[in-house]
Each structure stands twice: as C-alpha cells, then as structure tokens.
Amino acid sequence: MSNFRWSNPVTVYFGEDQFQSLGEAVASYGKKCLFVYGGGSIKRTGLYDRILTLLAQAGVEVFEKGGVEPNPKIGHIREAVAICKKEGIDVLLAVGGGSVIDATKCISAGACVDFDPWDFIAKHIVPEKALPIVDVLTIAATGSEMNSGGVISNPETNDKASVRGPILYPKASFLNPELTFTVGRYQTACGSADILSHIWENWFTLTPPMEMLDKIQETVIKTVIKYAPIALNDPENYEARENLMWASSWAMNGFMMAGFGKSGPSCHPMEHQLSAFYDITHGLGLAILTPRWLRYCLDEQTVSRYVTFGVEIWGVDPDLPPFEIANRAIAKTEEFLFETLGLEDNLTALGIGEEHLEEMAEKACGARGFISGFKRLTPRDVLNIYKMCL
Ligand code: NZQ
Ligand code: ZN
C-alpha cells in the first residue's frame, strides 16, 4: 500500500427530488450560462426542456453548444471556447455523459486562456483557471462527474489524451438515476464495462493493498456484475440504475485507487489509442482488451491475485490448483463481458486490422516507453495484446 493524499470537492445532488435545485445551483455561479450537451438524446427524452425551465426560473441567461460527440473532439471545444469569450459566460452546464462533461472541462479551462485549448493536452499544461462547471449526468460510466480529468480527441493527429487539474472538478454534479432509464442496451453494457475497468485495472496489483480498500473494490465490482444485467433487461429498474450510477462515480473519483499508486491502469492507455485511431466506444474497447490483458499477465508471480479474483468475484472453487482457478476466472470474465453484456469480442469485427497497431502500441506507452500497471508492459507487449484482440 502506497501513501496518498485524497480530497474530492464535488457536491453531489443524488436523486429526482434534488434535481429541482439545478437552477439555483447554476445561478449561484453567475447569470450567463453556456449549456453544453451531446447529440440529441436530451431533446428526445424531454430533459432539455426541463432544464431550460429550471434555468429560466432561476433567472439564468442561456447560451447553447450542443453536438458534443462521443470521444469529444477538440474542434468542437474550440468553437465553444469562442462563445464563452464572446458572450462573457460565467458558468458552464454540462448535460450528458463523460464525453459532454469532459468537453466542458476543456472548454472551462480554454475560456480562461489566450492559447489553443489543445495545448493543455499536447503540452501537458495544468489549468490554473477555469469557469465553474455544474453537470447533469445521463449515463453511468466514466466517473467524470466526480473527478478532475477530461479526455479529448484530436482526429487530425489521432491523439486522445487528458487535460487534468484540481480546478476542473465540477462544482456540483446532479445524479438522477431516472435520467439513465433511456440509455440503450449497448451503451449500458459499455458503461458497465468501463466502471469495472476503472476498479479492476487497479485492483490487479502486486502491491499489498489495504484490506478495507481491497474489499470495497470487490464489493463495487460485484455490484456492477449484479446490476448491469438487470439494467439491460429491465431499463427502468431504479435499483439497478442507482447502483450503477453511484458505482460509476466512486470507481473513478480517486478514492478507490488511493494507495494503489504503484500499479495504475493498463487497459485504459491501450484503449485510448483504439478510440483515438478508430473512434470506437471506450467501454467496448476495454471489454475486448481486458481478458487478453489478463491472459498476458498471468504467471507464477501474479497468479495469486487471479486466485482471489476467481474465488471472491466469480465464485470459483478455491480447492482447485491456482492456474486452473485463474483460467476459469478469465473465462468467467469473458462470459460476462461478451455473453451477459452482449459486447463484441474482437477488434476485427469492428474493422480494425494490423495497420496502425505498432504506432498505437508506441503511443500507448507514452514518453516513458512503458505502461506501469499490474505488470510493466513495453510497446512489444502492448502490440502482442492488440494482436490477441484481432
Ligand atoms: O450524445 P447523446 O445524444 O446525448 O447520446 C449519448 C452518446 O451517444 C448516449 N446517451 C447518454 N446519455 C443518454 C444517452 N442515450 C440515451 N439516454 C441517455 N440518458 O450515450 C452515448 C455515449 O455517451 P458518452 O458521453 O460518449 O459516454 P461515456 O459516459 O461512456 O463517455 C465516454 C468518454 O469519456 C472518456 C472516454 O474515453 C470517452 O471519450 N472517459 C473519461 C474519463 C474521465 N473523465 O474520467 C475516464 C474514462 O476512463 C474515459 O476515458
Ligand atoms: Zn474508462
């Protein structure tokens, strides 16, 4: 267990009745608001009209920037930054999933500087100033509603990377599980795979973890495994949606990985290259990578963690030999992701071939030249894992 510092300043408004406070929460940061949203789901569900009513009641003047795409693109962010500067926007309201909230984080920082917002990402500049952000989460997945990072894509360079800094935490996040009733099967499955990845990529560690955190992580993993299938089959099941929503926030608000600092994620850097080059859904890429990564990392040194995974998460017989337990655990993970959640199980089916894999493997390892996760992965290892996914 490593030592750590942790704080989280986001005020969470959880549940339908809390939603009535949205207008006053936005108004407390200013009267000129840029309302940022995605491709139109909020108009189809009626949420858009509801929000405009609440903002009007609070006396907020609204400017709009809809059309944020999944894997949000820097060009769209530049346009929104221009609106903020021209109109003297005081506060940003993000309504949507991780893509909308992430885009809004980059807009909020971009509005306070004279340089191109892509520089935050390309030059690793930590924002010092940002406009305040309030968000309404509409899909359980990324945890962006409770963290200080935003993942942005640049299609011109096939780059996808983060802007991050404490100033980017949302001031307030409205989490109303009922707003996720309309999330379709595919996005519910992808979101659930993402939540699981945020936890188990860190849970797989060779650093002895603090038991309390270890067990909380296992509980949240089991919560997602229990409730994701219920939400798929019964989309308006409140209990399932509330569990997935709160799990998404806690999986990625820093609490779970505090003290797991020596490991860090492995599938995430590999996936970000997939969605950078091919614009695929983040959770889908993670689902395809995860079982291959687990197979690749299994050896004498790591097997004991797989035994705990198999026994505690998947109910595998603890009396079996360790490698048998490990292989059964990986098979159960595949069964859950590809059969229960119904996600595609290979990259070839998504139209991805070998053409960019070497370049992607190099980029996934970044300037350090390796991924320092559960097992250290070099570009050669990452390439091997990508090839296992074809
Ligand atoms: O755009 P609209 O029309 O709203 O539709 C969206 C979008 O097509 C739809 N959707 C969202 N809420 C809905 C709904 N459809 C019906 N009813 C609703 N209530 O779902 C689709 C996906 O939305 P998106 O925001 O892209 O999903 P998600 O929340 O999974 O975000 C993915 C992005 O977040 C990044 C990913 O890389 C990806 O770019 N991540 C951000 C992280 C962070 N900030 O901490 C960490 C993650 O690991 C991840 O990298
Ligand atoms: Zn993720």
Side-chain angles (χ1 to χ4, degrees):
M1 182 80 191
S2 313
N3 295 328
F4 59 87
R5 290 183 192 180
W6 182 74
S7 75
N8 195 296
V10 180
T11 301
V12 173
Y13 294 69
F14 199 96
E16 166 62 25
D17 57 351
Q18 297 292 319
F19 197 64
Q20 297 311 316
S21 306
L22 179 68
E24 69 196 54
V26 172
S28 70
Y29 296 103
K31 292 290 180 189
K32 278 188 160 188
C33 170
L34 184 69
F35 175 11
V36 184
Y37 55 92
S41 71
I42 67 163
K43 291 194 172 166
R44 290 191 295 279
T45 60
L47 180 60
Y48 172 84
D49 291 333
R50 226 180 136 191
I51 285 174
L52 286 185
T53 303
L54 288 169
L55 293 176
Q57 284 168 352
V60 175
E61 185 184 0
V62 180
F63 299 79
E64 287 187 33
K65 186 64 179 162
V68 176
E69 295 175 76
N71 302 321
K73 316 293 184 288
I74 189 65
H76 194 267
I77 288 164
R78 289 180 180 127
E79 291 168 15
V81 166
I83 298 173
C84 291
K85 290 181 176 173
K86 177 166 177 267
E87 305 296 347
I89 295 294
D90 302 312
V91 53
L92 301 176
L93 173 62
V95 182
S99 296
V100 171
I101 301 173
D102 285 4
T104 305
K105 288 174 181 170
C106 195
I107 297 164
S108 78
C112 299
V113 294
D114 292 330
F115 54 81
D116 180 11
W118 182 250
D119 285 355
F120 287 116
I121 294 132
K123 298 180 182 169
H124 309 288
I125 299 171
V126 177
E128 289 173 6
K129 281 184 172 177
L131 296 178
I133 297 171
V134 175
D135 69 78
V136 176
L137 182 67
T138 63
I139 177 172
T142 64
S144 187
E145 66 276 10
M146 235 180 140
N147 68 43
S148 60
V151 188
I152 309 299
S153 293
N154 186 338
E156 285 168 20
T157 56
N158 285 335
D159 281 313
K160 180 177 182 184
S162 299
V163 53
R164 56 181 64 251
I167 195 84
L168 298 181
Y169 279 105
K171 299 290 182 203
S173 288
F174 285 75
L175 274 53
N176 179 355
E178 290 180 22
L179 298 180
T180 64
F181 286 174
T182 54
V183 179
R185 286 184 70 86
Y186 171 69
Q187 288 294 345
T188 299
C190 289
S192 301
D194 190 23
I195 302 169
L196 288 170
S197 252
H198 292 159
I199 310 170
W200 63 31
E201 280 186 55
N202 291 291
W203 183 91
F204 274 96
T205 175
L206 296 175
T207 311
M210 189 196 291
E211 173 147 344
M212 172 238 166
L213 275 177
D214 205 31
K215 293 297 163 201
I216 290 176
Q217 290 187 319
E218 288 169 21
T219 300
V220 182
I221 290 171
K222 285 195 263 191
T223 300
V224 178
I225 289 170
K226 174 178 175 181
Y227 284 109
I230 296 174
L232 287 185
N233 296 318
D234 181 11
E236 300 197 7
N237 185 306
Y238 187 86
E239 187 179 319
R241 294 297 192 179
E242 69 175 351
N243 272 282
L244 291 177
M245 188 169 249
W246 204 214
S248 100
S249 302
W250 279 86
M252 199 54 184
N253 70 5
F255 172 82
M256 295 283 183
M257 60 263 299
F260 284 73
K262 284 191 183 143
S263 49
S266 302
C267 294
H268 266 72
M270 293 192 273
E271 193 300 309
H272 282 160
Q273 297 309 319
L274 287 173
S275 43
F277 278 75
Y278 294 98
D279 212 1
I280 66 167
T281 308
H282 174 60
L284 174 62
L286 292 170
I288 293 172
L289 284 161
T290 298
R292 277 73 177 206
W293 166 67
L294 287 174
R295 272 191 215 297
Y296 197 82
C297 294
L298 177 60
D299 60 23
E300 288 289 348
Q301 195 198 6
T302 59
V303 67
S304 66
R305 202 64 176 146
Y306 291 75
V307 170
T308 311
F309 185 60
V311 172
E312 297 297 330
I313 303 296
W314 296 116
V316 179
D317 179 356
D319 295 328
L320 290 168
F323 277 90
E324 177 67 22
I325 296 175
N327 283 312
R328 287 192 189 200
I330 297 170
K332 293 242 180 209
T333 306
E334 284 174 326
E335 187 185 315
F336 180 77
L337 294 168
F338 306 136
E339 292 174 31
T340 308
L341 295 186
L343 292 169
E344 193 56 74
D345 67 358
N346 68 86
L347 294 178
T348 310
L350 309 183
I352 299 175
E354 296 208 19
E355 55 280 2
H356 295 301
L357 296 186
E358 274 192 43
E359 186 186 353
M360 287 160 55
E362 289 287 343
K363 286 176 90 169
C365 292
R368 287 187 306 180
F370 61 87
I371 294 174
S372 68
F374 181 37
K375 266 185 77 169
R376 180 179 284 214
L377 301 175
T378 64
R380 176 61 44 194
D381 297 317
V382 174
L383 182 62
N384 290 337
I385 294 172
Y386 282 146
K387 286 184 175 173
M388 290 164 76
C389 296
L390 291 173

